Amino acid sequence: MTARRLVFSPHADDAVLSCYGALGPGTEVVTVFAGAPADPALLTDWDRSLGATSSRELALERRAEDLRSFAPLGLVPEQWAHLDGQYRPGEAPQRLRADMTVRVRAAAEAVTAAGGGEWEVWLPAGLLTHPDHVMVRDTGLTVCAELADEGVRPALVLYGEYPYQLFQISNHLRAAGTRSGFAWTNDHPEPFAAWAAEQFPLATAGRHHARQSRLSAADGAAKEAAIRAHASQLDVMDRQVHGQLLNRRNLRLEHWWPLHGAPAAASDLDAAGTTGATGTGGVR
């Protein structure tokens, strides 16, 4: 039976970069921070580095790239108007929790109307603690924990964000003293297991090692084409990982964690005090 999935992508490119293999028939995608700032004169440092002259115009272009990226899959992402973190410094979207609650509940109702069965909610893992990614992850886990009391219990999956994976692996290996520089490949699973055991000891108990999906050559090529649709981001992201962004071995290997349930994940977040945590990521 075709898996039914609801995938939350913080930004326009995160889902195709990180969990392309999950984007088959029966999948719905929400791009959370797809809003465009109102001020046409606004230009953030990041957007300037991309060669933009207006953050609003770039945000609108990213929305168009999002649609082009998913079109070959026959998917149309649901683009929410919440602003990217660089456009709302120090502020959290007030309606994000309510919007995610409505969306997850609606997915549950659609599954029930279709005769029931298993379904999944996919959330970013929060590697490198990018504030937008952590916000979507923590809000989604909290919402699902609350909805469990209503009988809404989707299977939960955290997907390892690419190319953040490359930095997560390299930072771990360097801290362990087993590598002095950066490793620009994502085929070292041990750092992911260490991360999961630290961040989600209950939700990933007994399976801290991430599951791995290896795309076929054809699907890997299709994924590369989908990523190339995000042309406004491509050059800068590729430079940040020393030209390895489109390394085909990396693109074909995806990492994800099935969780034991939202209440366990929410307990982990409460114990760690990480709900709403912020951090900095080298790539967007």
Side-chain angles (χ1 to χ4, degrees), residues 81-241:
H82 298 297
L83 294 177
D84 186 308
Q86 63 175 327
Y87 307 140
R88 48 170 177 79
E91 300 178 5
Q94 295 183 350
R95 286 199 51 81
L96 179 59
R97 185 165 175 170
D99 287 347
M100 293 187 77
T101 298
V102 169
R103 191 62 185 81
V104 173
R105 186 183 284 122
E109 292 172 354
V111 169
T112 300
E118 295 184 359
W119 62 291
E120 303 166 349
V121 169
W122 286 55
L123 298 165
L127 301 179
L128 296 194
T129 63
H130 186 295
D132 286 350
H133 290 230
V134 171
M135 191 178 299
V136 171
R137 180 198 72 189
D138 291 2
T139 303
L141 292 175
T142 300
V143 163
C144 287
E146 292 173 346
L147 290 178
D149 293 335
E150 300 180 12
V152 177
R153 296 187 178 90
L156 288 173
V157 177
L158 297 181
Y159 60 86
E161 302 99 318
Y162 183 81
Y164 292 178
Q165 298 169 11
L166 306 181
F167 293 98
Q168 188 75 36
I169 290 170
S170 297
N171 290 341
H172 179 90
L173 296 178
R174 293 166 72 208
T178 57
R179 182 179 288 271
S180 58
F182 281 90
W184 301 114
T185 61
N186 62 351
D187 57 356
H188 302 278
E190 293 80 7
F192 295 138
W195 176 88
E198 178 182 349
Q199 297 292 317
F200 292 98
L202 298 178
T204 63
R207 50 191 184 200
H208 297 317
H209 284 274
R211 301 281 180 87
Q212 294 183 349
S213 298
R214 191 174 297 276
L215 303 181
S216 68
D219 286 343
K223 177 179 179 177
E224 180 178 342
I227 294 170
R228 288 187 181 278
H230 295 277
S232 67
Q233 313 293 304
L234 203 61
D235 288 346
V236 169
M237 285 198 298
D238 195 41
R239 287 200 299 271
Q240 289 181 324
V241 294

Side-chain angles (χ1 to χ4, degrees), residues 262-284:
S267 294
D268 287 335
L269 294 175
D270 288 341
T274 58
T275 303
T278 61
T280 58
V283 291
R284 297 198 68 76

Side-chain angles (χ1 to χ4, degrees), residues 12-96:
D13 50 8
D14 288 313
V16 295
L17 279 164
S18 310
C19 58
Y20 188 86
L23 304 178
T27 298
E28 296 179 302
V29 179
V30 174
T31 304
V32 176
F33 299 109
D39 183 0
L42 175 68
L43 182 60
T44 64
D45 290 341
W46 174 261
D47 291 348
R48 183 181 291 107
S49 75
L50 298 173
T53 57
S54 164
S55 288
R56 175 174 172 79
E57 292 303 316
L58 180 60
L60 293 173
E61 174 58 22
R62 292 198 73 181
R63 289 172 64 92
E65 290 174 345
D66 199 22
L67 296 176
R68 289 195 293 268
S69 178
F70 283 103
L73 289 166
L75 301 178
V76 179
E78 185 177 322
Q79 297 174 321
W80 286 358
H82 298 297
L83 294 177
D84 186 308
Q86 63 175 327
Y87 307 140
R88 48 170 177 79
E91 300 178 5
Q94 295 183 350
R95 286 199 51 81
L96 179 59

